[in-house]
Short mmCIF file of all heavy atoms in Angstrom, two decimals:
data_model
loop_
_atom_site.label_atom_id
_atom_site.label_comp_id
_atom_site.label_asym_id
_atom_site.label_seq_id
_atom_site.Cartn_x
_atom_site.Cartn_y
_atom_site.Cartn_z
N ASP N 76 -17.80 3.98 46.16
CA ASP N 76 -18.08 3.13 47.33
C ASP N 76 -17.35 3.63 48.58
O ASP N 76 -17.72 3.27 49.69
CB ASP N 76 -17.65 1.69 47.06
CG ASP N 76 -18.72 0.90 46.35
OD1 ASP N 76 -19.88 1.36 46.34
OD2 ASP N 76 -18.41 -0.18 45.83
N MET N 77 -16.32 4.44 48.40
CA MET N 77 -15.51 4.89 49.54
C MET N 77 -15.88 6.29 50.02
O MET N 77 -15.35 6.74 51.03
CB MET N 77 -14.03 4.86 49.17
CG MET N 77 -13.54 3.46 48.84
SD MET N 77 -11.76 3.38 48.56
CE MET N 77 -11.52 4.48 47.19
N VAL N 78 -16.73 7.01 49.31
CA VAL N 78 -17.03 8.39 49.73
C VAL N 78 -17.79 8.37 51.04
O VAL N 78 -18.52 7.42 51.35
CB VAL N 78 -17.84 9.17 48.66
CG1 VAL N 78 -17.03 9.32 47.38
CG2 VAL N 78 -19.19 8.54 48.40
N SER N 79 -17.61 9.43 51.82
CA SER N 79 -18.28 9.48 53.13
C SER N 79 -19.73 9.94 53.00
O SER N 79 -20.56 9.63 53.85
CB SER N 79 -17.51 10.39 54.07
OG SER N 79 -17.39 11.68 53.51
N GLU N 80 -20.02 10.71 51.93
CA GLU N 80 -21.39 11.18 51.76
C GLU N 80 -22.28 10.01 51.34
O GLU N 80 -21.79 8.98 50.90
CB GLU N 80 -21.46 12.27 50.66
CG GLU N 80 -20.54 13.44 50.88
CD GLU N 80 -19.21 13.27 50.16
OE1 GLU N 80 -19.08 12.36 49.33
OE2 GLU N 80 -18.30 14.06 50.44
N THR N 81 -23.57 10.21 51.46
CA THR N 81 -24.53 9.19 51.04
C THR N 81 -24.42 8.98 49.54
O THR N 81 -24.46 9.94 48.76
CB THR N 81 -25.97 9.63 51.39
OG1 THR N 81 -26.04 9.86 52.78
CG2 THR N 81 -26.98 8.58 50.97
N ARG N 82 -24.29 7.73 49.14
CA ARG N 82 -24.25 7.42 47.71
C ARG N 82 -25.68 7.20 47.21
O ARG N 82 -26.48 6.54 47.86
CB ARG N 82 -23.41 6.17 47.47
CG ARG N 82 -23.30 5.86 45.99
CD ARG N 82 -22.35 4.75 45.69
NE ARG N 82 -22.38 4.50 44.25
CZ ARG N 82 -21.65 3.62 43.61
NH1 ARG N 82 -20.79 2.89 44.29
NH2 ARG N 82 -21.73 3.48 42.32
N LYS N 83 -25.98 7.76 46.06
CA LYS N 83 -27.29 7.60 45.45
C LYS N 83 -27.14 6.96 44.07
O LYS N 83 -26.03 6.96 43.51
CB LYS N 83 -27.97 8.97 45.28
CG LYS N 83 -28.32 9.65 46.58
CD LYS N 83 -29.10 10.93 46.28
CE LYS N 83 -29.60 11.56 47.55
NZ LYS N 83 -30.45 12.73 47.28
N PRO N 84 -28.25 6.47 43.50
CA PRO N 84 -28.17 5.92 42.13
C PRO N 84 -27.67 6.94 41.12
O PRO N 84 -27.12 6.57 40.08
CB PRO N 84 -29.61 5.50 41.82
CG PRO N 84 -30.24 5.29 43.16
CD PRO N 84 -29.58 6.27 44.09
N THR N 85 -27.86 8.23 41.42
CA THR N 85 -27.41 9.28 40.48
C THR N 85 -26.06 9.85 40.86
O THR N 85 -25.65 10.88 40.30
CB THR N 85 -28.45 10.42 40.43
OG1 THR N 85 -28.62 10.93 41.76
CG2 THR N 85 -29.78 9.93 39.89
N SER N 86 -25.36 9.22 41.80
CA SER N 86 -24.03 9.71 42.19
C SER N 86 -23.03 9.58 41.05
O SER N 86 -23.00 8.56 40.35
CB SER N 86 -23.50 8.89 43.38
OG SER N 86 -24.11 9.26 44.58
N ARG N 87 -22.22 10.62 40.91
CA ARG N 87 -21.08 10.58 40.00
C ARG N 87 -19.93 11.37 40.61
O ARG N 87 -20.13 12.20 41.49
CB ARG N 87 -21.43 11.21 38.63
CG ARG N 87 -22.42 10.46 37.76
CD ARG N 87 -21.90 9.12 37.24
NE ARG N 87 -20.59 9.19 36.62
CZ ARG N 87 -20.38 9.39 35.32
NH1 ARG N 87 -21.40 9.52 34.50
NH2 ARG N 87 -19.14 9.41 34.83
N LEU N 88 -18.75 11.06 40.13
CA LEU N 88 -17.59 11.88 40.45
C LEU N 88 -17.42 12.82 39.25
O LEU N 88 -17.21 12.35 38.12
CB LEU N 88 -16.35 11.01 40.66
CG LEU N 88 -16.46 10.04 41.83
CD1 LEU N 88 -15.26 9.11 41.87
CD2 LEU N 88 -16.60 10.78 43.15
N CYS N 89 -17.53 14.13 39.50
CA CYS N 89 -17.60 15.01 38.34
C CYS N 89 -16.29 15.11 37.59
O CYS N 89 -16.26 15.56 36.44
CB CYS N 89 -18.19 16.37 38.68
SG CYS N 89 -17.32 17.37 39.86
N CYS N 90 -15.19 14.63 38.20
CA CYS N 90 -13.93 14.62 37.44
C CYS N 90 -13.95 13.57 36.33
O CYS N 90 -13.09 13.58 35.45
CB CYS N 90 -12.73 14.38 38.35
SG CYS N 90 -12.61 12.71 39.03
N GLN N 91 -14.93 12.70 36.37
CA GLN N 91 -15.02 11.64 35.36
C GLN N 91 -16.05 11.98 34.28
O GLN N 91 -16.41 11.13 33.47
CB GLN N 91 -15.36 10.30 36.03
CG GLN N 91 -14.33 9.87 37.06
CD GLN N 91 -12.93 9.77 36.47
OE1 GLN N 91 -12.70 9.03 35.52
NE2 GLN N 91 -12.00 10.56 36.99
N ILE N 92 -16.52 13.21 34.30
CA ILE N 92 -17.53 13.65 33.33
C ILE N 92 -16.91 14.71 32.42
O ILE N 92 -16.35 15.70 32.90
CB ILE N 92 -18.76 14.23 34.04
CG1 ILE N 92 -19.41 13.17 34.94
CG2 ILE N 92 -19.77 14.77 33.03
CD1 ILE N 92 -20.47 13.72 35.88
N THR N 93 -17.01 14.49 31.14
CA THR N 93 -16.56 15.48 30.16
C THR N 93 -17.78 16.26 29.68
O THR N 93 -18.80 15.66 29.29
CB THR N 93 -15.88 14.79 28.97
OG1 THR N 93 -14.76 14.03 29.46
CG2 THR N 93 -15.39 15.81 27.95
N VAL N 94 -17.68 17.57 29.74
CA VAL N 94 -18.78 18.41 29.30
C VAL N 94 -19.02 18.18 27.80
O VAL N 94 -18.08 18.20 27.00
CB VAL N 94 -18.46 19.91 29.56
CG1 VAL N 94 -19.57 20.80 29.01
CG2 VAL N 94 -18.25 20.15 31.06
N SER N 95 -20.28 17.94 27.45
CA SER N 95 -20.59 17.71 26.04
C SER N 95 -21.76 18.59 25.61
O SER N 95 -22.46 19.17 26.45
CB SER N 95 -20.90 16.23 25.80
OG SER N 95 -22.00 15.83 26.56
N ASP N 96 -21.97 18.68 24.30
CA ASP N 96 -22.96 19.64 23.78
C ASP N 96 -24.39 19.28 24.18
O ASP N 96 -25.26 20.15 24.16
CB ASP N 96 -22.83 19.80 22.27
CG ASP N 96 -23.01 18.50 21.52
OD1 ASP N 96 -23.22 17.45 22.16
OD2 ASP N 96 -22.92 18.53 20.27
N ASN N 97 -24.63 18.03 24.56
CA ASN N 97 -25.99 17.67 24.96
C ASN N 97 -26.23 17.94 26.45
O ASN N 97 -27.26 17.54 27.00
CB ASN N 97 -26.29 16.20 24.62
CG ASN N 97 -25.37 15.22 25.31
OD1 ASN N 97 -24.39 15.62 25.94
ND2 ASN N 97 -25.65 13.95 25.18
N MET N 98 -25.30 18.60 27.11
CA MET N 98 -25.45 18.91 28.54
C MET N 98 -25.89 20.35 28.78
O MET N 98 -25.85 20.82 29.92
CB MET N 98 -24.14 18.63 29.28
CG MET N 98 -23.77 17.17 29.34
SD MET N 98 -22.25 16.91 30.27
CE MET N 98 -22.01 15.14 30.02
N ASP N 99 -26.31 21.06 27.76
CA ASP N 99 -26.73 22.45 27.96
C ASP N 99 -27.97 22.48 28.84
O ASP N 99 -29.00 21.89 28.50
CB ASP N 99 -27.00 23.13 26.63
CG ASP N 99 -27.17 24.64 26.78
OD1 ASP N 99 -26.43 25.24 27.58
OD2 ASP N 99 -28.04 25.20 26.10
N GLY N 100 -27.87 23.14 29.99
CA GLY N 100 -28.98 23.20 30.94
C GLY N 100 -28.87 22.18 32.06
O GLY N 100 -29.73 22.11 32.94
N LEU N 101 -27.80 21.40 32.05
CA LEU N 101 -27.60 20.36 33.07
C LEU N 101 -27.66 20.95 34.48
O LEU N 101 -27.17 22.06 34.72
CB LEU N 101 -26.23 19.71 32.84
CG LEU N 101 -25.78 18.68 33.88
CD1 LEU N 101 -26.67 17.45 33.84
CD2 LEU N 101 -24.33 18.27 33.61
#
Side-chain angles (χ1 to χ4, degrees):
D76 275 344
M77 298 186 300
V78 297
S79 57
E80 305 94 11
T81 302
R82 183 173 178 178
K83 294 185 174 185
T85 58
S86 283
R87 291 293 310 268
L88 298 174
C89 62
C90 70
Q91 301 303 301
I92 299 169
T93 301
V94 176
S95 60
D96 59 359
N97 60 352
M98 293 182 185
D99 191 39
L101 175 66

